Amino acid sequence: MKNNPLGPRPAPEADPGGLGAAGLVLAAIREAAGPVRVGEIAQAVGSHDNTVRGHLAALLELGLVESEAAPAQGRGRPAVLYSAEPRPGVRTDEFRSLAGAFAADLVTQGSGRQVRERARRIGRTWGESLTPPPAKGAAPQDLDSVLADLGFGPQRDADVVRLTTCPLLDLAVANPDVICQVHLGLVDGIIDRGEGDAEAELTPFAEPGACLLRVPRTA
């Protein structure tokens, strides 16, 4: 049985290296307009279906692609559709570098209450900067889309959001009190813009594969 540790996976890199031919498969999935079948991927990369299946198994293990059953059409086993995890962009890179630098500095100051409060304030300020007031007539930016942009792999179920990946996982494992407070403050900053004093609750490493974030329904 595979080890299934508590907490999320590392956030995927924008351009993961060392994938070889599997990188071509990943690129083909990312360039597709929607979820794609094995045969469509094989055609796009000029390879055999069975070869592509081997690469897909590796990409699934790395958490870079997801699979789902296609809608049933007649008898037989439904086809499997593959889609890529959202590709992290500039926001993820900025968050890793800036939050990582702040967190590393905070960690040197210990892990007391004042350090945790400062970590949360830093996260809140960063979250507010990511969600400026929307232009007239535009909808405010969705919390889940911001978290996805930052590399958290959110999966929502009502007011609970499973954070399945983490852009600062190595630091979070070593210093959860500080790093997770930065992340919690980040969410505070995003949802407080126009939402009064609503605050979120974060349970780090709550279950195999995810941290659990609870947010007000209005967020």
Side-chain angles (χ1 to χ4, degrees):
M1 180 179 295
K2 290 186 176 180
N3 184 30
N4 197 13
L6 297 177
R9 306 185 309 270
E13 298 288 343
D15 294 295
L19 291 179
L24 297 177
V25 172
L26 177 60
I29 298 173
R30 283 176 167 170
E31 291 170 4
V36 287
R37 292 174 167 81
V38 169
E40 296 170 316
I41 302 170
Q43 184 176 7
V45 300
S47 185
H48 191 275
D49 287 12
N50 288 338
T51 302
V52 169
R53 287 191 181 94
H55 295 320
L56 287 169
L59 294 171
L60 286 165
E61 181 68 22
L62 290 170
L64 295 174
V65 300
E66 295 179 338
S67 64
E68 61 180 320
Q73 295 180 347
R75 296 182 178 180
R77 179 182 298 178
V80 178
L81 299 177
Y82 295 90
S83 58
E85 289 280 341
R87 180 190 295 214
V90 175
R91 279 188 169 184
T92 305
D93 295 336
E94 289 179 348
F95 182 69
R96 281 177 173 153
S97 59
L98 292 177
F102 280 131
D105 178 66
L106 287 169
V107 166
T108 64
Q109 301 176 35
S111 58
R113 177 181 174 184
Q114 290 184 336
V115 174
R116 291 194 298 272
E117 289 177 349
R118 185 178 176 216
R120 190 162 179 172
R121 287 197 301 270
I122 289 173
R124 181 189 292 270
T125 299
W126 180 249
E128 289 174 349
S129 73
L130 292 175
T131 53
K136 184 176 181 181
Q141 191 160 9
D142 177 67
L143 169 65
D144 293 8
S145 67
V146 177
L147 292 175
D149 285 348
L150 293 174
F152 286 98
Q155 297 178 354
R156 179 178 288 273
D157 181 11
D159 60 343
V160 175
V161 182
R162 299 178 70 251
L163 304 179
T164 63
T165 57
C166 177
L168 296 175
L169 183 60
D170 53 345
L171 289 173
V173 169
N175 298 281
D177 281 352
V178 173
I179 306 305
C180 297
Q181 286 299 312
V182 172
H183 291 166
L184 184 55
L186 172 80
V187 175
D188 288 342
I190 295 170
I191 66 176
D192 279 4
R193 172 91 49 185
E195 296 294 344
D197 295 325
E199 289 191 344
E201 297 178 7
L202 176 64
T203 305
F205 307 100
E207 63 181 36
C211 299
L212 294 184
L213 173 68
R214 289 176 173 81
V215 295
R217 291 184 181 274
T218 54

